[in-house]
Amino acid sequence: MITQPIHVPERLALLATSAVDPFLTEELLKGEQVHGGIDLAKVVEPLPEDDARWWVEPIRSLVEDAMFEFRETPTRADAWLAPRLHATLRLTRREAADKRLWNHLALAVAPDYVVWRHLSEPTAKRPERRVAAERFRGPADRQCFSRLWWAAELFRNGADYEPVEAACGNQDLIHSVLRKEMIDHRPTAQAIVRLLKSGLVTTGREVDGLSVAINAAGATLIYDVLAPDQPRDPVRLRDWIEEAESAPPVERYELPKGPDEDPVPEESVTALTHYFAELFETAPVRGRKLGD
């Protein structure tokens, strides 16, 4: 298994997708050899030096702790890392939508984590272990770090990251639901987590079926009317981001606190949880017969 590059930058930067491919070598994707890092540093765009958020050390520390703590079960690292990455890398959504930031984090700062987390197990059809290139520079729901940050952003309940742990404990939920715009409705996200925690929805097929049903119903039913939400307060988010310079490292054994935003109205979450449970009864779950 590879280690971190010889040259790890001190600060995050922006790495254009067009500049990524020369460093995505076969040796890296097979987990055999990592680039040195020096040549990659020549093709990045620096971020403002007066912003404390871009220091790499807190992120490197997190991924190293995750690799040690979950060395036997890498998939379990998602639920642990997602809230802590979000609380450490305090971004606006506009900043988080810039793929160049995630390209740099995955390829320059922590390619060893990407390989550790996503190196495939050999199968009869694919006997060679390999990391998909999209884990380094793919869409938001597939890229190693952006998928975790966005999952934390969309599933947190105000400052509470507990729902994020539940959501990220189900791999199919991230893959299936993050691609759909419905999840940006906070009561919808919290209702889905409630169904997961209740045990009503557990398997990948069930998650897929539920998300299809919710998305289809949303085309004719406005969830904002059924389950209204309070608008986000941008001032609280800005204050939280500005506090990054003085914020201590995130706790390893307790969940951190997110932006001091109001939680989702409980009555809205309850209403949607009941509604989605009814939808799930007739959801198109592959392999399930209606009435099972």
Side-chain angles (χ1 to χ4, degrees):
M1 190 72 70
I2 65 170
T3 61
Q4 67 185 54
I6 296 173
H7 173 76
V8 175
E10 292 185 348
R11 297 176 63 80
L12 287 171
L14 303 178
L15 177 63
T17 301
S18 59
V20 167
D21 285 346
F23 300 95
L24 287 180
T25 63
E26 283 296 303
E27 290 78 13
L28 175 60
L29 296 178
K30 292 178 182 178
E32 298 172 349
Q33 183 177 350
V34 71
H35 59 84
I38 296 178
D39 289 338
L40 191 150
K42 299 175 182 177
V43 297
V44 303
E45 179 183 335
L47 287 164
E49 294 187 0
D50 60 349
D51 196 327
R53 294 179 297 160
W54 311 134
W55 288 110
V56 158
E57 191 280 328
I59 300 174
R60 267 303 320 179
S61 179
L62 272 181
V63 300
E64 288 170 7
D65 286 350
M67 287 189 287
F68 176 79
E69 184 69 23
F70 301 99
R71 55 192 178 278
E72 302 296 332
T73 52
T75 56
R76 291 181 55 204
D78 288 354
W80 183 89
L81 184 58
R84 292 167 175 83
L85 176 65
H86 187 274
T88 298
L89 191 53
R90 302 186 180 192
L91 305 172
T92 66
R93 289 191 174 190
R94 176 174 292 185
E95 290 170 332
D98 192 337
K99 292 182 178 181
R100 297 176 298 169
L101 180 70
W102 304 113
N103 290 343
H104 188 257
L105 175 52
L107 198 57
V109 176
D112 52 328
Y113 182 87
V114 180
V115 171
W116 172 83
R117 171 60 185 84
H118 293 290
L119 191 65
S120 64
E121 292 297 329
T123 64
K125 292 184 177 180
R126 295 182 179 180
E128 186 176 73
R129 302 189 71 192
R130 185 181 180 87
V131 179
E134 62 186 4
R135 298 301 186 180
F136 286 95
R137 49 106 168 99
D141 64 301
R142 300 294 291 174
Q143 204 270 355
C144 178
F145 294 108
S146 68
R147 64 193 282 271
L148 299 181
W149 192 96
W150 278 106
E153 170 66 8
L154 296 172
F155 283 102
R156 65 182 174 86
N157 190 5
D160 184 10
Y161 284 117
E162 192 275 334
V164 177
E165 284 191 313
C168 291
N170 188 303
Q171 299 299 309
D172 298 289
L173 183 67
I174 301 178
H175 297 326
S176 177
V177 177
L178 282 189
R179 295 194 298 265
K180 297 178 171 60
E181 293 181 1
M182 65 180 183
I183 206 62
D184 198 25
H185 181 240
R186 296 199 307 160
T188 295
Q190 296 307 311
I192 291 173
V193 170
R194 293 271 178 94
L195 293 179
L196 281 176
K197 293 170 70 173
S198 72
L200 181 64
V201 179
T202 56
T203 68
R205 290 181 179 183
E206 290 173 344
V207 169
D208 286 340
L210 176 64
S211 64
V212 169
I214 292 174
N215 203 53
T220 57
L221 177 69
I222 302 176
Y223 292 145
D224 283 328
V225 175
L226 180 63
D229 190 14
Q230 299 294 328
R232 294 176 182 268
D233 184 348
V235 174
R236 296 187 184 185
L237 177 62
R238 286 199 300 269
D239 289 345
W240 184 70
I241 290 175
E242 290 174 359
E243 292 167 1
E245 185 171 2
S246 59
V250 297
E251 292 284 344
R252 270 34 177 186
Y253 298 103
E254 295 181 5
L255 283 173
K257 295 293 185 182
D260 185 24
E261 297 174 342
D262 293 330
V264 181
E266 177 59 29
E267 58 272 19
S268 293
V269 180
T270 300
L272 274 191
T273 301
H274 291 319
Y275 180 71
F276 291 165
E278 293 176 358
L279 279 182
F280 183 66
E281 292 181 2
T282 56
V285 178
R286 187 159 57 92
R288 183 184 73 173
K289 296 180 181 179
L290 293 181
D292 286 355

